[in-house]
Amino acid sequence: MALNSLLITGLLLSVLTFFLTKIYKRLGSYFTIFSTLFVLIFLFGYMNDVGTVFNLWSFGGFSLQLVSSNYGWFFSIIMVLIYFLVSFFNPYWVEKMVNPASYNMLYVFSLVSTLGVFFAKDFLTLFIFWEMVVWSSLFIIPLGKSRKASVVYYTMSTIGSFSMFFAVIYLYSLFQTFDIESISKNLISSPNTAVMAYFVIIIAGLAKLGIFPFHTWLPIAQGNAPHTFSPVLSGGLEKMGAFIAFLVSAIIPTSQIFSNHIHIIGVPYENYIIMVLGAISIIVGTLMAIKQEDAKRLIAYSTVANSGYILIGISLLDQVGFAGGMMHIFNHAMASAAMFLTIGAVAYRTGTTSMSELGGMIKKMPVTFAAYLIAIISIAGIPPTSGFASKWLIFQGLASKGLMFIAFATFFGSIGSFMYVFRPLATVFLGQLSPKHNDVKEVPFMMQIPMLVMSLLTIYFGVFPSHMLGFISKIQASLNIVPLTVEGSKIYSFSGMWNSLVITAVFVIGFIIAALIFYTHKKAQPVDQMNTYTSGEFIYDPESYHYAKNYYAPFERLYKNHPSLEKFYDVIALRVNEFGRLVRSWFFSSNASLGVFWISVIISIAFFWGDKI
C-alpha cells in the first residue's frame, strides 16, 4: 500500500473506531488493536524504501507531500510499535473512560498523524500533521485525572507550535519553498539565517521532548493522562521532539553550516548550547524524580532526564555518540512505556499510583514486577539490556570529544537513575502487602502481552545491539556522517571494541554463580510479620513496617531549597489569571452600574474627541 494511501486509510479507520465504540465499547477498543496492527504491518514494507515521493494534496503552487526515508521509518516504526502494544490495555480501561468513543478515535488519529510528521517532504506538511497530533492528544489528556493537565500541555505545545510556524513562514519568505531538502541547500549558503532557523525550529522540538526549561508539562500531563495514554506520551509522542532535533541537526547539516562558527571544545556553539540544555535536563529530571511520591510523576521526570541523553547524542553528530542517541530513542520508548504500563497495571488492580499506599505487589503480580524490573535495568543502563548499549555509546562519544561537563551530567544521571527507579521497586512491589490488597491478582494475560514483548525486545537488543545499530549506521551514511562500525556482535569505537555477546556471557555467569550461592546455602528463616524487634516500641499495624514516604529524605535535604522553575511558572500563571479576572470584571460584568460607567466613558470620548476619531 502506498504511503499516502496508508495514511488516509488510517484516518478513516480512526473514524470507524469511533462508531464501533459507540455500538459496543469493547469492540471499538479491540479495533484500536487491529488499526494499529494494520499500520504496523504495512509500514514494514517501507523499511528499505528511500526517496519515493507520495502526493497527498495539491492546490495551485502548494502541495502536501510525503517522502520515504530510512530515518522516517526508524522514528515511525518505534511510534507505531508503542501504539500497537499499549492498545492491548484499551479494552480493559474502556469501561472507566469518560468518553471511550472519542478516546479510541483520537488514539488512532494521533498515531496516523505522526506518520505525516516523520515522512513529511516539506515543512508545511510537517506543521499541519504536527498540529493534528497536538490537538488530538490535547483532547485525550483531560480524559484522565485532571483537566488542568491539558491546559499546561497546550501552553507548552503552543510555544513550540508558534515557534515552528514562525520559522516555516520565515523560511518560505526567504526561499519561496516549503521543501525541506531545498531549504537545507539554501541554508548552507546562508549560515546566519541558518542560526536563527536552527534555534527557532528546535524550540518546538525541545518543548515536545520535555527539555529544560520546557519540561514542566511532562509530570503534569503524563502523570494525569489516562493510564493507557501516559505510555504513549512518554514512549511515543514525546519522540516527535527528538525528530525535530534530528531534523535541524542532521537533515539540515549543522556540522557543515556551522563549521566556520565559534567552536566550544570542538563543537559549534549552537550545538553546544543545545547539549548544555540536555545536560541540565538530565540533572533536573534526576533530582526531581527522586523526590516524587506518585509513581507516574516519577517516571515522567525520568523521561525529562532521558530526553537529555537523546538530545546530547543527536547533537554530537559524530560516529559513536549520534548512534547512541538514536538507539536511546528506541530504548527509552520501550523502557518508559513498560514502566508506565506496569504502574497502570497496578492501578488497574488497586486504583492508585501513590507509592505510599502500595507495597508487596510482587506476591500478587509477579509478571508485572518482572516487566518493571527489566525496564528499570534498561533505564539505569545495566547490561545485558539495550539501555546499556545506547548509554555506553553516548559516554564514548562525549569522552572522545573531551566534553567533561556534559559527560559529568550523563554520569550523574546514570547514578541517580539507580535511586529513583529503585523507589517504586521497593515501595510498590517489595515491602509489606497492605491487608486491603490481599485479594489483588495479576492482570489478565492480554494486558501482560505488551509488558512481556517490551521486556523481550529490551533484552534482545541488549544482547544483539548490532541488529539495530546496523540500521542506524545506514542512516548515518545517508546523512554523510561516518557510520558506526559494526561486525557481528562487535561494535567499534575510538577506544576499542565492545563485544555484546561476551558482556552478556559475563553477566549470565555472574547470575548463575549468585543463584548457586543462594540455593546451596542456608535459607532465611521465615517469621510472622509482627514477630520482630522494634527497639522497645510496639507496632500493632503491619502497614507501619512498610517504609514508603520520605524515602530519600536525607538526600532530598541536600537540595531542599533549590530554585524552582515550576514555582516561577506558577507565579506567571497566577498573575495572568488575576489579570484575566480584572479584565472580565471590568468589561464582561453583568453589573448595571459598570455598564453605565463604560457607556459614559464612550460618550465622553465621542463628545470631546469625536471629530478627531
Side-chain angles (χ1 to χ4, degrees):
M1 178 179 289
L3 199 55
N4 51 351
S5 301
L6 176 63
L7 198 149
I8 293 171
T9 305
L11 293 176
L12 294 175
L13 287 175
S14 70
V15 177
L16 182 58
T17 306
F18 177 83
F19 290 109
L20 289 176
T21 311
K22 282 290 185 183
I23 297 170
Y24 180 52
K25 291 179 181 178
R26 286 215 167 191
L27 176 63
S29 297
Y30 282 116
F31 198 70
T32 62
I33 302 174
F34 167 78
S35 301
T36 51
L37 178 62
F38 174 84
V39 176
L40 182 67
I41 291 172
F42 281 97
L43 194 59
F44 265 102
Y46 290 92
M47 183 175 182
N48 297 310
D49 190 281
V50 176
T52 307
V53 178
F54 304 90
N55 193 56
L56 277 172
W57 178 77
S58 296
F59 181 78
F62 298 98
S63 62
L64 302 181
Q65 292 182 321
L66 306 175
V67 61
S68 59
S69 62
N70 48 22
Y71 58 84
W73 185 84
F74 180 79
F75 277 91
S76 58
I77 200 70
I78 294 173
M79 183 77 70
V80 177
L81 185 60
I82 292 294
Y83 266 89
F84 168 63
L85 292 174
V86 175
S87 66
F88 281 79
F89 268 49
N90 288 344
Y92 296 93
W93 281 99
V94 67
E95 299 294 340
K96 301 179 182 181
M97 292 283 180
V98 177
N99 194 334
S102 297
Y103 175 83
N104 287 334
M105 180 189 72
L106 293 171
Y107 187 88
V108 179
F109 184 85
S110 59
L111 161 67
V112 179
S113 300
T114 61
L115 299 182
V117 173
F118 295 138
F119 289 108
K121 189 177 185 301
D122 54 86
F123 276 115
L124 186 61
T125 305
L126 189 152
F127 179 75
I128 290 173
F129 281 98
W130 177 278
E131 286 300 294
M132 289 168 65
V133 177
V134 169
W135 281 95
S136 54
S137 51
L138 173 68
F139 288 114
I140 290 180
I141 290 173
L143 298 179
K145 292 188 288 186
S146 168
R147 292 181 182 274
K148 181 184 174 183
S150 62
V151 176
V152 177
Y153 173 73
Y154 177 72
T155 303
M156 286 298 173
S157 294
T158 300
I159 294 173
S161 295
F162 274 108
S163 180
M164 183 187 292
F165 182 72
F166 172 78
V168 171
I169 299 301
Y170 174 68
L171 292 172
Y172 181 80
S173 67
L174 290 178
F175 306 124
Q176 315 306 312
T177 179
F178 291 116
D179 188 79
I180 295 173
E181 186 178 355
S182 300
I183 289 175
S184 300
K185 291 177 181 176
N186 283 308
L187 288 177
I188 292 174
S189 56
S190 307
N192 292 329
T193 303
V195 173
M196 182 175 178
Y198 175 74
F199 283 113
V200 175
I201 296 177
I202 207 170
I203 286 176
L206 300 182
K208 180 62 72 178
L209 197 52
I211 294 295
F212 178 90
F214 305 104
H215 65 286
T216 52
W217 72 268
L218 265 74
I220 298 174
Q222 294 180 6
N224 292 287
H227 294 305
T228 51
F229 200 65
S230 294
V232 172
L233 273 175
S234 178
L237 295 183
E238 179 237 0
K239 301 300 178 293
M240 290 203 314
F243 178 75
I244 295 300
F246 171 88
L247 180 71
V248 296
S249 299
I251 304 300
I252 300 174
T254 55
S255 58
Q256 182 180 349
I257 296 173
F258 300 152
S259 59
N260 295 323
H261 290 195
I262 297 172
H263 280 55
I264 302 175
I265 319 177
V267 178
Y269 78 89
E270 295 91 347
N271 292 63
Y272 190 80
I273 290 173
I274 298 303
M275 291 170 67
V276 169
L277 290 177
I280 295 174
S281 299
I282 292 175
I283 295 174
V284 170
T286 301
L287 293 177
M288 294 301 291
I290 288 172
K291 61 191 294 185
Q292 298 306 309
E293 296 289 340
D294 183 90
K296 287 182 70 175
R297 286 180 65 90
L298 183 150
I299 302 170
Y301 271 114
S302 82
T303 300
V304 175
N306 281 277
S307 296
Y309 284 97
I310 293 170
L311 188 65
I312 290 171
I314 290 175
S315 300
L316 277 171
L317 286 175
D318 68 342
Q319 181 187 25
V320 181
F322 180 82
M326 291 293 286
M327 187 171 183
H328 203 65
I329 292 172
F330 169 81
N331 294 335
H332 179 254
M334 288 297 129
S336 67
M339 289 167 70
F340 269 116
L341 285 180
T342 55
I343 297 302
V346 172
Y348 179 73
R349 288 305 193 197
T350 64
T352 182
T353 57
S354 175
M355 291 183 280
S356 61
E357 299 177 25
L358 297 165
M361 285 296 145
I362 185 175
K363 302 168 187 171
K364 301 292 182 179
M365 307 176 73
V367 175
T368 303
F369 164 76
Y372 180 81
L373 182 64
I374 293 171
I376 66 171
I377 289 174
S378 183
I379 283 287
I382 300 173
T385 59
S386 55
F388 167 76
S390 57
K391 283 192 173 182
W392 184 85
L393 290 171
I394 293 172
F395 294 155
Q396 289 280 310
L398 292 170
S400 66
K401 290 183 178 296
L403 296 164
M404 299 315 297
F405 170 73
I406 310 293
F408 166 78
T410 56
F411 280 111
F412 177 85
S414 278
I415 296 170
S417 64
F418 284 101
M419 296 179 69
Y420 65 71
V421 297
F422 180 74
R423 184 171 180 178
L425 185 78
T427 57
V428 175
F429 294 102
L430 304 181
Q432 300 298 333
L433 180 69
S434 174
K436 64 182 177 184
H437 296 146
N438 278 334
D439 297 330
V440 166
K441 57 183 180 181
E442 185 60 89
V443 290
F445 178 69
M446 193 168 165
M447 292 177 72
Q448 298 175 31
I449 291 175
M451 295 188 285
L452 292 171
V453 172
M454 288 176 182
S455 300
L456 291 174
L457 288 174
T458 299
I459 294 175
Y460 177 81
F461 285 110
V463 178
F464 305 104
S466 57
H467 291 182
M468 182 179 297
L469 291 171
F471 188 83
I472 291 174
S473 65
K474 289 183 182 177
I475 297 176
Q476 289 178 293
S478 67
L479 300 172
N480 296 319
I481 300 173
V482 179
L484 188 70
T485 305
V486 180
E487 293 179 0
S489 61
K490 299 176 182 176
I491 299 155
Y492 293 87
S493 68
F494 81 100
S495 61
M497 181 271 292
W498 160 46
N499 192 322
S500 60
L501 288 181
V502 172
I503 290 180
T504 302
V506 170
F507 269 80
V508 170
I509 292 171
F511 180 80
I512 292 173
I513 293 174
L516 288 174
I517 294 173
F518 177 79
Y519 286 109
T520 56
H521 283 64
K522 188 176 181 181
K523 302 293 186 297
Q525 181 68 37
V527 296
D528 183 77
Q529 187 172 332
M530 302 301 292
N531 183 13
T532 184
Y533 180 68
T534 56
S535 301
E537 294 290 335
F538 291 98
I539 298 178
Y540 300 100
D541 181 5
E543 293 180 335
S544 299
Y545 282 111
H546 182 48
Y547 177 53
K549 284 187 176 179
N550 297 321
Y551 198 82
Y552 288 121
F555 182 79
E556 290 174 29
R557 280 197 289 270
L558 296 176
Y559 59 101
K560 181 179 180 182
N561 298 318
H562 63 86
S564 173
L565 201 61
E566 285 82 355
K567 291 180 181 176
F568 176 70
Y569 288 155
D570 286 341
V571 170
I572 294 177
L574 179 63
R575 294 292 175 262
V576 171
N577 186 276
E578 288 176 348
F579 180 72
R581 288 173 182 271
L582 178 68
V583 171
R584 188 172 63 179
S585 64
W586 278 79
F587 297 100
F588 302 98
S589 172
S590 58
N591 190 322
S593 59
L594 199 60
V596 172
F597 169 75
W598 283 114
I599 292 172
S600 303
V601 170
I602 294 171
I603 292 175
S604 299
I605 292 174
F607 179 78
F608 289 107
W609 291 285
D611 57 333
K612 300 176 182 177
I613 295 177

